[in-house]
Amino acid sequence: MNRTKYASLLLILLLGACTYGRTDLGDGKYTQASAITAQGGTYKVGNPYKIMGKWYYPKEDYHYSEVGMASWYGSDFHAKTTANGEKYDMYSLTAAHRTLPLPSIVKVTNLENGRSLVLRVNDRGPYAKGRIIDVSKRASQLLGFHTQGTTKVRVEIMPEESKALKAALLGEKYSPNMKEIEQTPLPKTQQKQVYPKGSYFVQAGSYSYESGAQDVAARLQNVGSTNIYYVNVNGQNYYRVRVGPFSNQEEAEVALEEVKGVGIFDAKVVSD
């Protein structure tokens, strides 16, 4: 199961009987919808940045709730890369926010008609004065403000769903009722793997927790020789999942396509 599908499953289990993935039309009726489908993006918070003379400070804020104006963006940005590496799809249920982690799960309520919708934040913006969120074209239609262009909304982060999605994308363990991600103890005698200098590999991912690396490695057993390499970078432990080694880049590129074929789209060819 790839990370995107794993993230989807985690969120479905977390929400149970809640109205996640449904549009509250304000009249007791719901429209089925999904905010989970991703296209190869990664988890990131990002550094402070300056737009039109104003500084913005991205951070993890699982208490976030704000009232302001919403707008929407469509064909001018369709298929372009979002801030976390996905491809923007104006027909999917996504949104842009100036400071929330990417991706995050938020509930957006149109205060003018009572409709609410769960969206996945995967991009940065908007920067027009007074606007707090920019939603996809499809989201604006479901929320009932596509024609007018803007509306007053309440945006609330969904903390457990956002934490679960983060954990799934980072290959970490997550339980809804615990305060922190479970730590996988670092083996005391673990040795770094040795391989010929100049070898090429397909690196499927680098994970802070061994369990996440093991899950990915298991999926790649049919692609080729797959190993987990432990490294320490600036005091931070990582588990790198790599297929190989290969004697030349051409062989590695062929294997890369096979790795992407099982849904690991962030994989890349590396050489040490």
Side-chain angles (χ1 to χ4, degrees):
M1 181 181 294
N2 66 37
R3 285 179 289 171
T4 299
K5 291 182 179 178
Y6 179 53
S8 302
L9 178 59
L10 271 178
L11 290 171
I12 290 170
L13 292 175
L14 276 170
L15 285 154
C18 296
T19 59
Y20 178 75
R22 298 191 294 177
T23 308
D24 183 351
L25 301 179
D27 54 4
K29 299 179 180 179
Y30 292 88
T31 298
Q32 293 294 330
S34 174
I36 295 301
T37 305
Q39 301 178 35
T42 58
Y43 179 83
K44 64 181 294 184
V45 177
N47 298 318
Y49 62 98
K50 189 177 183 180
I51 298 290
M52 295 185 290
K54 183 175 180 179
W55 281 95
Y56 297 91
Y57 300 89
K59 63 177 181 178
E60 292 184 341
D61 181 1
Y62 295 115
H63 300 285
Y64 172 81
S65 179
E66 186 178 7
V67 172
M69 298 301 294
S71 52
W72 64 272
Y73 62 132
S75 58
D76 288 345
F77 298 90
H78 187 66
K80 293 184 178 180
T81 304
T82 67
N84 76 326
E86 296 182 28
K87 294 296 184 183
Y88 172 62
D89 182 353
M90 65 182 179
Y91 302 109
S92 65
L93 299 183
T94 59
H97 191 275
R98 297 164 299 181
T99 58
L100 287 177
L102 307 176
S104 293
I105 305 298
V106 297
K107 178 182 179 182
V108 180
T109 301
N110 186 343
L111 298 179
E112 295 184 5
N113 60 19
R115 294 189 181 187
S116 63
L117 187 63
V118 174
L119 303 175
R120 189 182 77 258
V121 176
N122 67 349
D123 207 357
R124 288 292 180 226
Y127 302 106
K129 185 177 181 180
R131 298 184 188 179
I132 62 173
I133 196 167
D134 218 0
V135 307
S136 67
K137 177 180 179 180
R138 181 56 178 158
S140 71
Q141 292 171 335
L142 292 173
L143 286 169
F145 75 94
H146 174 256
T147 302
Q148 68 195 61
T150 61
T151 191
K152 189 174 183 179
V153 297
R154 176 183 294 109
V155 181
E156 304 165 278
I157 195 167
M158 301 180 73
E160 300 304 331
E161 295 78 9
S162 296
K163 292 175 185 178
L165 183 54
K166 171 189 174 182
L169 291 174
L170 294 180
E172 300 171 340
K173 295 180 179 179
Y174 179 77
S175 296
N177 295 322
M178 69 184 187
K179 294 182 179 179
E180 297 180 354
I181 299 297
E182 296 175 5
Q183 298 283 341
T184 301
L186 181 65
K188 295 181 180 179
T189 60
Q190 186 152 12
Q191 300 294 318
K192 182 177 180 179
Q193 298 283 351
V194 178
Y195 40 83
K197 184 177 181 180
S199 298
Y200 289 88
F201 296 85
V202 176
Q203 183 161 304
S206 184
Y207 305 92
S208 301
Y209 302 97
E210 188 174 15
S211 58
Q214 289 173 340
D215 290 341
V216 173
R219 292 169 47 206
L220 295 173
Q221 289 182 350
N222 294 330
V223 175
S225 177
T226 304
N227 293 285
I228 299 174
Y229 299 94
Y230 160 69
V231 295
N232 185 285
V233 180
N234 297 325
Q236 175 67 50
N237 302 317
Y238 293 99
Y239 296 88
R240 291 174 175 170
V241 181
R242 291 183 171 184
V243 179
F246 301 96
S247 59
N248 57 68
Q249 186 172 353
E250 288 73 19
E251 292 180 357
E253 293 288 351
V254 172
L256 174 63
E257 294 306 312
E258 294 185 54
V259 172
K260 290 184 177 181
V262 298
I264 305 177
F265 303 109
D266 295 332
K268 58 184 178 182
V269 172
V270 298
S271 179
D272 293 329

